[in-house]
Amino acid sequence: MYGDEATIRRILTELGDTWAVVGLSSNRGRAAYRVAEVLQRFGKRVVPVHPKAEAVHGERGYASLADIPFEVDVVDVFVNSDLAGQVADEAVARGAKAVWFQLGVLDPAAYERTRDAGLEMVMDRCPAIEIPALT
């Protein structure tokens, strides 16, 4: 298990409300779009990160984490597992407080690197499933 209940609670309630969602586009059929809606309903600022840099849910999009000109608290990762480790490394480099790999996104080595760097991390879970249970 990559992320116990205490870690999930800490990320969702204590570490900050600015979430960069990597892989979020304006495609309403994608899970990232729906999860971002739920996060917004629970008071999170959702920042889209996608090569197209589209605005989504009223927030300006950025092509990469490095392009975001303000602090990011949590990096929520909706990319294939083979790309997720690089995103986690970028989250560490930019000073995020936590990384969240969505359901089905698995990279145990990235999990260890991220935790070793001092960040909180959850893997193979969905914040849109977890956050309603906390309120």
Side-chain angles (χ1 to χ4, degrees), residues 74-95:
V74 181
V75 176
D76 188 9
V77 181
F78 276 95
V79 299
N80 293 330
S81 295
D82 59 338
L83 302 173
Q86 178 181 341
V87 176
D89 295 340
E90 292 169 9
V92 170
R94 76 157 290 123

Side-chain angles (χ1 to χ4, degrees), residues 14-15 18 20 24 35 39 45 49 54 62 73 76-77 84 90 93 98 101 128:
E14 299 174 21
L15 294 186
T18 301
L24 175 58
V35 168
L39 290 170
R45 178 181 184 191
V49 180
E54 300 173 290
Y62 296 89
D73 300 310
D76 188 9
V77 181
E90 292 169 9
F101 281 9

Side-chain angles (χ1 to χ4, degrees), residues 17 26 28 37 53 55 59 61-63 81 84 88 91-92 105 110 116 119 131:
D17 292 330
S26 61
R28 294 173 183 264
E37 279 183 317
E59 286 285 344
Y62 296 89
S81 295
V92 170
V105 180
D116 289 347
L119 280 70
I131 200 168

Side-chain angles (χ1 to χ4, degrees), residues 6-68:
T7 300
I8 290 168
R9 178 175 291 280
R10 217 172 11 263
I11 292 172
L12 290 171
T13 64
E14 299 174 21
L15 294 186
D17 292 330
T18 301
W19 285 54
V21 181
V22 179
L24 175 58
S25 71
S26 61
N27 183 341
R28 294 173 183 264
R30 304 290 302 207
Y33 189 91
R34 294 184 306 277
V35 168
E37 279 183 317
V38 172
L39 290 170
Q40 278 189 326
R41 276 200 310 268
F42 282 89
K44 306 300 180 190
R45 178 181 184 191
V46 173
V47 181
V49 180
H50 190 279
K52 293 180 182 177
E54 300 173 290
V56 183
H57 299 307
E59 286 285 344
R60 177 182 169 189
Y62 296 89
S64 72
L65 286 174
D67 292 340
I68 301 172

